[in-house]
């Protein structure tokens, strides 16, 4: 397989996901993942994992979704894709909320803040601080609230 095939399958996966065909999107994203992995294309592999995260989360297979999200995050970090990391940390935060896991949501909010700060996006940083403050104040962690 090649990068070209990976790109075609990735596009197909996105199209199928947007149309609501989770099974088709999952199959296409898996094919893209295989092609990009064989080509040692970390950016393409990260994108395929990201789509597989979306598909598995949509199917309610949250443990598998989290595994794909973790893989995508590691790959985005290895390529220095800060904006991609911000997007993935946002989705990890949403996944933690979906699971009702406040501790994981706070951890995700902390990671999101660090990722946004690394991009230099002041507006995004303010939004991430606001998101994190909701958990910090709820937990009564006033020392951390003052740091923010």
């Amino acid at each position: 397989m090649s990068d070209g095939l990976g790109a075609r399958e990735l596009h197909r996966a996105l199209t199928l996901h947007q149309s609501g065909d989770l099974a088709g999107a999952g199959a296409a994203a898996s094919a893209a993942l295989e092609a990009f992995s064989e080509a040692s294309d970390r950016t393409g592999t990260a994108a395929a994992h990201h789509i597989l995260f979306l598909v598995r989360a949509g199917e309610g297979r949250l443990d598998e979704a989290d595994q794909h999200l973790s893989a995508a995050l590691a790959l985005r970090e290895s390529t220095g894709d800060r904006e991609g990391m911000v997007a993935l940390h946002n989705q990890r935060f949403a996944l933690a909320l979906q699971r009702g896991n406040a501790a994981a949501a706070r951890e995700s909010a902390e990671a999101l803040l660090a990722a946004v700060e690394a991009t230099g996006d002041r507006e995004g940083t303010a939004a991430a601080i606001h998101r994190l403050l909701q958990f910090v104040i709820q937990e009564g962690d006033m020392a951390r609230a003052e740091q923010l």
Side-chain angles (χ1 to χ4, degrees):
M1 290 198 198
S2 69
D3 278 355
L5 176 60
R8 281 191 302 277
E9 288 298 322
L10 192 64
H11 182 265
R12 194 166 143 261
L14 282 169
T15 301
L16 291 168
H17 181 262
Q18 289 173 346
S19 72
D21 181 357
L22 295 180
S30 292
L33 178 61
E34 183 180 335
F36 285 129
S37 294
E38 286 180 11
S40 299
D41 180 337
R42 291 181 296 162
T43 300
T45 302
H49 275 297
H50 190 174
I51 295 172
L52 283 165
F53 156 75
L54 295 171
V55 169
R56 298 303 176 241
E59 294 170 336
R61 296 162 59 180
L62 301 183
D63 288 339
E64 286 181 55
D66 192 43
Q67 290 171 0
H68 285 291
L69 186 58
S70 294
L73 264 168
L75 288 161
R76 292 288 184 208
E77 185 173 7
S78 77
T79 63
D81 180 359
R82 292 180 177 152
E83 288 79 13
M85 290 173 59
V86 169
L88 293 168
H89 280 300
N90 262 315
Q91 291 182 327
R92 171 153 281 156
F93 177 78
L95 181 62
L97 290 178
Q98 183 178 356
R99 290 179 142 179
N101 187 336
R106 178 179 174 168
E107 183 180 315
S108 296
E110 292 275 7
L112 173 62
L113 176 58
V116 173
E117 285 177 332
T119 68
D121 177 359
R122 291 172 21 149
E123 187 175 312
T125 298
I129 289 171
H130 176 75
R131 185 176 285 175
L132 178 57
L133 273 173
Q134 294 175 20
F135 288 94
V136 169
I137 292 170
Q138 183 178 351
E139 294 172 356
D141 186 353
M142 292 305 129
R144 179 66 176 130
E146 289 176 10
Q147 291 174 344
L148 298 171

